[in-house]
Amino acid sequence: MAAGGSGGGPGGLSSSSSSSGPPPPPGNGAAAAAACTNGPPASPPGLTYNQCGAGNPAAAAAAAGGPGSGGSAAAAPAGAAPGGAAGGPLQREPVYNWQATKPTVQERFAFLFNNEVLSDVHFLVGKGRGSQRIPAHRFLYSDEVQIGPETVMTTLYTAKKYAVPALEAHCVEFLKKNLRADNAFMLLTQARLFDEPQLASLCLENIDKNTSDAINAEGFTDIDLDTLVAVLERDTLGIREVRLFNAVVRWSEAECQRQQLQVIPENKRKVLGKALSLIRFPLMTIEEFAAGPAQSGILTDREVVSLFLHFTVNPKPRVEFIDRPRCCLRGKECSINRFQQVESRWGYSGTSDRIRFSVNKRIFVVGFGLYGSIHGPTDYQVNIQIIHTDSNTVLGQNDTGFSCDGSSSTFRVMFKEPVEILPNVSYTACATLKGPDSHYGTKGLRKVIHESPTTGAKTCFTFCYAAGNNNGTSVEDGQIPEIIFYT
């Protein structure tokens, strides 16, 4: 490790420097570079070390890089006169050439560990007769690193403080290898504190994949507000919003205690600050919202009423909270359009537009693109569903609305959560619209292939006629032109 200089030492240790000048640089032949003390340092058993001085021929030879020095020259002691005349010649035995038997830098540095040789700082540990004077040197002794869970964060702090990038890299690599869902939030906080963006990114990816386990870990309630906000802003958390809300409430209770505030709804809202607005209440079901957030006291009466209206009426009023789904997916959003041409006038009478489809690989559908009004800007009410065709099970749905501008473009309508689509399984896409006549697609394709622009991977959609009430939609004509998905 690196000694902390000649001031007060870390952890209650005090330190004293053996020389008034800066420490000599480490390297071969550094034995001759040590500044003189007011007496020779204590010698290890069996060895005698001599005081430096211009009158010491062995030291002078080592300082000049002469034979037996084992390395390069270093600065002479302060106050030494030219020619070694200061204070008269010192009659002492030759300096012990400890470097001669240490062929590598690592061995030489290891020898210096806890050794008076070249020591330029001392740590005074303890008090009275029980105190110890421990020699140290202001450089690293070796490239060997022994890091454990209990020491890694303090070692990383030391590496950052003393600008030792190799040691810092060892610490970060250790943390990466030991990253788990139950420590992801703790490590994320430390990564942000120590400005380690790569480690922070890995922590966030782990939280995305294991959100439920991560928020249930003890470390979650210990994170700071900025870290909480950074997580809640993500679109890729894999958890239901009501469970995320419950975890955030737990965090607010712990934060109230840290700030010595009474744990009441008003103070929970106060400590949450911006984080509260990042909870996506519109993604909950009305039952989840009514049983939890609506009764928590954290939301205002106006916010509760606004959200209940959002759940129950169409067209849905705007709310202050984000309604964008958390996809819990990584990568780039994709979409396919099954029609080659757009025509006018498709009517609605309460019957669902339906089309069957299958895919050659596993994907996650997050929404549909639908056609809008031919009569200018209009609001539609719509219910979208994906049904497992063979079992008639509804796998995903959303009762919502969308606004269109009168153009022949498609307009996005999203599910609350991604719907997993397995390869070579038949599914039915449904959309029940309430509104004026719209555009519709023609010259439909039975097969549509999406090719990734980066990897070249191909996703093949096959469309089939959905028998029964389908409002006229078929492979050739109709609604539901686009499927929006992630691979």
Side-chain angles (χ1 to χ4, degrees), residues 62 98 107 110 157 159 195 201 318 363 368 387 393 421-422 460-461 481:
W98 59 272
E107 288 179 285
Y157 169 80
D195 189 26
S201 178
R318 295 190 180 277
I363 65 169
F368 298 148
I387 299 171
T393 302
I421 303 298
L422 298 177
C460 180
F461 287 77

Side-chain angles (χ1 to χ4, degrees), residues 179-181 184 201-211 214:
L179 174 61
R180 305 182 306 274
S201 178
L202 290 173
C203 291
L204 288 169
E205 288 181 14
N206 189 290
I207 291 168
D208 286 343
K209 295 176 184 177
N210 308 283
T211 310

Side-chain angles (χ1 to χ4, degrees), residues 57-385:
S69 68
S72 60
L90 298 175
Q91 301 299 322
R92 300 190 184 277
E93 62 186 282
V95 172
Y96 170 71
N97 190 6
W98 59 272
Q99 297 187 78
T101 58
K102 309 290 185 292
T104 67
V105 173
Q106 180 174 335
E107 288 179 285
R108 289 193 285 271
F109 281 6
F111 173 82
L112 292 176
F113 176 68
N114 205 19
N115 198 320
E116 289 286 354
V117 176
L118 294 183
S119 172
D120 60 353
V121 64
H122 290 79
F123 292 108
L124 304 179
V125 184
K127 296 182 178 180
R129 294 183 178 180
S131 67
Q132 289 181 283
R133 186 172 182 266
I134 300 175
H137 309 75
R138 280 176 281 195
F139 56 86
L140 295 180
Y141 298 110
S142 75
D143 283 334
E144 294 181 357
V145 180
Q146 294 182 347
I147 301 174
E150 298 81 11
T151 61
V152 62
M153 297 316 303
T154 52
T155 305
L156 179 58
Y157 169 80
T158 303
K160 285 278 188 180
K161 180 175 180 180
Y162 294 106
V164 188
L167 182 57
E168 178 184 336
H170 275 293
C171 294
V172 172
E173 191 61 31
F174 178 88
L175 292 172
K176 289 178 185 177
K177 290 179 180 178
N178 290 273
L179 174 61
R180 305 182 306 274
D182 62 357
N183 65 14
F185 274 107
M186 183 273 290
L187 293 183
L188 175 60
T189 301
Q190 298 296 329
R192 289 166 58 86
L193 174 65
F194 290 124
D195 189 26
E196 290 289 344
Q198 186 182 18
L199 177 60
S201 178
L202 290 173
C203 291
L204 288 169
E205 288 181 14
N206 189 290
I207 291 168
D208 286 343
K209 295 176 184 177
N210 308 283
T211 310
S212 181
D213 291 338
I215 66 171
N216 287 325
E218 289 185 15
F220 171 72
T221 56
D222 296 330
I223 64 176
D224 59 277
L225 179 60
D226 288 342
T227 301
L228 178 65
V229 167
V231 171
L232 294 179
E233 287 176 335
R234 297 178 68 76
D235 290 334
T236 46
L237 299 177
I239 191 171
R240 292 196 62 82
E241 204 69 19
V242 68
R243 294 188 61 192
L244 191 60
F245 171 78
N246 292 336
V248 169
V249 171
R250 282 194 293 110
W251 181 91
S252 70
E253 292 169 350
E255 184 65 14
C256 283
Q257 294 174 346
R258 282 190 288 269
Q259 297 188 23
Q260 298 182 337
L261 299 173
Q262 187 178 359
V263 183
I264 57 177
E266 291 80 2
N267 287 335
K268 293 180 188 178
R269 183 184 179 100
K270 176 182 177 181
V271 299
L272 282 171
K274 178 187 176 183
L276 181 62
S277 66
L278 299 174
I279 300 293
R280 304 183 186 186
F281 296 103
L283 301 185
M284 300 179 186
T285 66
I286 188 171
E287 293 81 11
E288 289 172 338
F289 178 74
Q295 300 183 46
S296 67
I298 294 177
L299 296 173
T300 66
D301 290 344
R302 184 178 62 81
E303 289 168 338
V304 171
V305 170
S306 174
L307 285 163
F308 268 124
L309 289 173
H310 175 83
F311 288 123
T312 56
V313 304
N314 284 305
K316 296 185 179 299
R318 295 190 180 277
V319 292
E320 299 175 1
F321 299 96
I322 302 168
D323 61 359
R324 184 175 66 253
R326 297 190 193 271
C327 295
C328 54
L329 303 169
R330 288 158 298 282
K332 187 176 181 181
E333 182 183 281
C334 309
S335 67
I336 55 99
N337 192 315
R338 65 191 188 94
F339 293 122
Q340 302 178 79
Q341 188 172 314
V342 181
E343 298 289 349
S344 295
R345 204 165 299 277
W346 195 264
Y348 305 99
S349 59
T351 303
S352 299
D353 288 274
R354 300 158 65 92
I355 189 71
R356 288 172 55 190
F357 71 96
S358 62
V359 192
N360 69 328
K361 62 192 295 185
R362 179 176 180 247
I363 65 169
F364 291 86
V365 173
V366 295
F368 298 148
L370 303 178
Y371 290 120
S373 174
I374 60 174
H375 302 295
T378 309
D379 290 333
Y380 281 86
Q381 298 175 37
V382 61
N383 176 274
I384 57 172
Q385 295 182 340

